[in-house]
mmCIF file of all heavy atoms in Angstrom:
data_model
loop_
_atom_site.group_PDB
_atom_site.id
_atom_site.type_symbol
_atom_site.label_atom_id
_atom_site.label_comp_id
_atom_site.label_asym_id
_atom_site.label_seq_id
_atom_site.Cartn_x
_atom_site.Cartn_y
_atom_site.Cartn_z
ATOM 1 N N LEU K 154 63.131 58.986 123.792
ATOM 2 C CA LEU K 154 64.071 58.019 124.364
ATOM 3 C C LEU K 154 64.160 56.786 123.467
ATOM 4 O O LEU K 154 63.156 56.326 122.929
ATOM 5 C CB LEU K 154 63.617 57.604 125.761
ATOM 6 C CG LEU K 154 63.654 58.697 126.836
ATOM 7 C CD1 LEU K 154 62.991 58.197 128.111
ATOM 8 C CD2 LEU K 154 65.087 59.139 127.117
ATOM 9 N N HIS K 158 69.681 50.974 123.072
ATOM 10 C CA HIS K 158 70.801 51.896 123.255
ATOM 11 C C HIS K 158 71.934 51.154 123.956
ATOM 12 O O HIS K 158 71.752 50.043 124.471
ATOM 13 C CB HIS K 158 70.369 53.115 124.083
ATOM 14 C CG HIS K 158 69.756 52.758 125.407
ATOM 15 N ND1 HIS K 158 70.515 52.446 126.518
ATOM 16 C CD2 HIS K 158 68.456 52.635 125.797
ATOM 17 C CE1 HIS K 158 69.717 52.157 127.533
ATOM 18 N NE2 HIS K 158 68.464 52.264 127.133
ATOM 19 N N LEU K 161 72.481 53.739 129.604
ATOM 20 C CA LEU K 161 71.475 53.546 130.646
ATOM 21 C C LEU K 161 70.444 54.665 130.555
ATOM 22 O O LEU K 161 70.553 55.570 129.731
ATOM 23 C CB LEU K 161 72.137 53.568 132.032
ATOM 24 C CG LEU K 161 73.200 52.512 132.329
ATOM 25 C CD1 LEU K 161 73.913 52.831 133.644
ATOM 26 C CD2 LEU K 161 72.588 51.115 132.379
ATOM 27 N N LEU K 162 69.433 54.578 131.406
ATOM 28 C CA LEU K 162 68.452 55.650 131.560
ATOM 29 C C LEU K 162 68.451 56.093 133.014
ATOM 30 O O LEU K 162 68.604 55.276 133.928
ATOM 31 C CB LEU K 162 67.054 55.179 131.162
ATOM 32 C CG LEU K 162 66.851 54.792 129.689
ATOM 33 C CD1 LEU K 162 65.442 54.251 129.471
ATOM 34 C CD2 LEU K 162 67.112 55.980 128.772
ATOM 35 N N GLN K 163 68.304 57.388 133.230
ATOM 36 C CA GLN K 163 68.217 57.937 134.577
ATOM 37 C C GLN K 163 66.767 58.324 134.852
ATOM 38 O O GLN K 163 66.242 59.273 134.258
ATOM 39 C CB GLN K 163 69.113 59.173 134.727
ATOM 40 C CG GLN K 163 69.056 59.806 136.092
ATOM 41 C CD GLN K 163 69.937 61.043 136.221
ATOM 42 O OE1 GLN K 163 69.756 61.844 137.130
ATOM 43 N NE2 GLN K 163 70.889 61.210 135.321
ATOM 44 N N SER K 164 66.115 57.565 135.714
ATOM 45 C CA SER K 164 64.715 57.846 136.082
ATOM 46 C C SER K 164 64.694 58.480 137.465
ATOM 47 O O SER K 164 65.348 57.986 138.386
ATOM 48 C CB SER K 164 63.906 56.544 136.119
ATOM 49 O OG SER K 164 64.040 55.809 134.928
ATOM 50 N N LEU K 193 66.275 47.392 140.920
ATOM 51 C CA LEU K 193 65.937 48.458 139.986
ATOM 52 C C LEU K 193 67.149 48.918 139.180
ATOM 53 O O LEU K 193 67.021 49.402 138.063
ATOM 54 C CB LEU K 193 65.359 49.667 140.740
ATOM 55 C CG LEU K 193 64.035 49.461 141.476
ATOM 56 C CD1 LEU K 193 63.637 50.732 142.205
ATOM 57 C CD2 LEU K 193 62.937 49.049 140.498
ATOM 58 N N CYS K 214 67.295 56.525 139.872
ATOM 59 C CA CYS K 214 67.746 55.182 139.531
ATOM 60 C C CYS K 214 68.405 55.182 138.147
ATOM 61 O O CYS K 214 67.853 55.744 137.201
ATOM 62 C CB CYS K 214 66.555 54.224 139.538
ATOM 63 S SG CYS K 214 67.026 52.493 139.386
ATOM 64 N N SER K 216 69.425 52.680 135.220
ATOM 65 C CA SER K 216 69.062 51.314 134.821
ATOM 66 C C SER K 216 68.964 51.231 133.299
ATOM 67 O O SER K 216 68.821 52.252 132.625
ATOM 68 C CB SER K 216 67.725 50.917 135.452
ATOM 69 O OG SER K 216 66.728 51.888 135.136
ATOM 70 N N PRO K 217 69.025 50.008 132.732
ATOM 71 C CA PRO K 217 68.935 49.861 131.272
ATOM 72 C C PRO K 217 67.588 50.312 130.713
ATOM 73 O O PRO K 217 67.515 50.807 129.589
ATOM 74 C CB PRO K 217 69.146 48.356 131.057
ATOM 75 C CG PRO K 217 69.884 47.895 132.272
ATOM 76 C CD PRO K 217 69.371 48.741 133.396
ATOM 77 N N ALA K 218 66.520 50.132 131.478
ATOM 78 C CA ALA K 218 65.183 50.539 131.047
ATOM 79 C C ALA K 218 64.600 51.521 132.063
ATOM 80 O O ALA K 218 65.005 51.553 133.223
ATOM 81 C CB ALA K 218 64.272 49.320 130.911
ATOM 82 N N ALA K 219 63.640 52.324 131.617
ATOM 83 C CA ALA K 219 63.027 53.320 132.493
ATOM 84 C C ALA K 219 62.279 52.642 133.634
ATOM 85 O O ALA K 219 61.656 51.585 133.453
ATOM 86 C CB ALA K 219 62.071 54.199 131.693
ATOM 87 N N VAL K 220 62.339 53.233 134.817
ATOM 88 C CA VAL K 220 61.605 52.736 135.984
ATOM 89 C C VAL K 220 60.240 53.425 136.021
ATOM 90 O O VAL K 220 60.143 54.636 135.836
ATOM 91 C CB VAL K 220 62.380 53.025 137.282
ATOM 92 C CG1 VAL K 220 61.602 52.529 138.492
ATOM 93 C CG2 VAL K 220 63.766 52.373 137.230
ATOM 94 N N ASP K 221 59.213 52.648 136.245
ATOM 95 C CA ASP K 221 57.850 53.180 136.254
ATOM 96 C C ASP K 221 57.698 54.268 137.318
ATOM 97 O O ASP K 221 58.218 54.151 138.429
ATOM 98 C CB ASP K 221 56.848 52.052 136.528
ATOM 99 C CG ASP K 221 55.419 52.518 136.349
ATOM 100 O OD1 ASP K 221 54.939 52.514 135.215
ATOM 101 O OD2 ASP K 221 54.793 52.889 137.357
ATOM 102 N N ARG K 222 56.961 55.308 136.971
ATOM 103 C CA ARG K 222 56.791 56.446 137.875
ATOM 104 C C ARG K 222 56.155 56.049 139.201
ATOM 105 O O ARG K 222 56.503 56.586 140.252
ATOM 106 C CB ARG K 222 55.946 57.527 137.191
ATOM 107 C CG ARG K 222 55.677 58.741 138.076
ATOM 108 C CD ARG K 222 55.053 59.863 137.312
ATOM 109 N NE ARG K 222 54.707 60.976 138.199
ATOM 110 C CZ ARG K 222 54.451 62.210 137.780
ATOM 111 N NH1 ARG K 222 54.503 62.487 136.496
ATOM 112 N NH2 ARG K 222 54.125 63.160 138.638
ATOM 113 N N ILE K 224 56.523 53.370 140.856
ATOM 114 C CA ILE K 224 57.559 52.775 141.716
ATOM 115 C C ILE K 224 58.421 53.873 142.319
ATOM 116 O O ILE K 224 58.722 53.863 143.526
ATOM 117 C CB ILE K 224 58.424 51.785 140.911
ATOM 118 C CG1 ILE K 224 57.580 50.599 140.430
ATOM 119 C CG2 ILE K 224 59.613 51.300 141.742
ATOM 120 C CD1 ILE K 224 58.316 49.650 139.503
ATOM 121 N N LEU K 225 58.803 54.844 141.502
ATOM 122 C CA LEU K 225 59.608 55.964 141.990
ATOM 123 C C LEU K 225 58.854 56.741 143.077
ATOM 124 O O LEU K 225 59.434 57.112 144.107
ATOM 125 C CB LEU K 225 59.959 56.908 140.836
ATOM 126 C CG LEU K 225 60.778 56.319 139.679
ATOM 127 C CD1 LEU K 225 60.879 57.325 138.540
ATOM 128 C CD2 LEU K 225 62.164 55.910 140.148
ATOM 129 N N ALA K 250 61.271 62.855 135.629
ATOM 130 C CA ALA K 250 61.781 62.753 134.256
ATOM 131 C C ALA K 250 62.539 61.444 134.085
ATOM 132 O O ALA K 250 62.923 60.789 135.051
ATOM 133 C CB ALA K 250 62.695 63.930 133.922
ATOM 134 N N VAL K 251 62.745 61.093 132.820
ATOM 135 C CA VAL K 251 63.643 60.005 132.453
ATOM 136 C C VAL K 251 64.648 60.601 131.477
ATOM 137 O O VAL K 251 64.281 61.092 130.407
ATOM 138 C CB VAL K 251 62.901 58.827 131.797
ATOM 139 C CG1 VAL K 251 63.893 57.725 131.434
ATOM 140 C CG2 VAL K 251 61.812 58.288 132.724
ATOM 141 N N LEU K 252 65.926 60.591 131.859
ATOM 142 C CA LEU K 252 66.975 61.203 131.052
ATOM 143 C C LEU K 252 67.830 60.134 130.373
ATOM 144 O O LEU K 252 68.122 59.103 130.969
ATOM 145 C CB LEU K 252 67.879 62.081 131.923
ATOM 146 C CG LEU K 252 67.191 63.199 132.716
ATOM 147 C CD1 LEU K 252 68.208 63.927 133.582
ATOM 148 C CD2 LEU K 252 66.490 64.167 131.782
#
Side-chain angles (χ1 to χ4, degrees):
L154 293 172
H158 55 81
L161 300 170
L162 295 176
Q163 179 181 162
S164 307
L193 296 178
C214 189
S216 54
V220 179
D221 188 84
R222 178 170 176 163
I224 296 174
L225 299 172
V251 180
L252 303 177

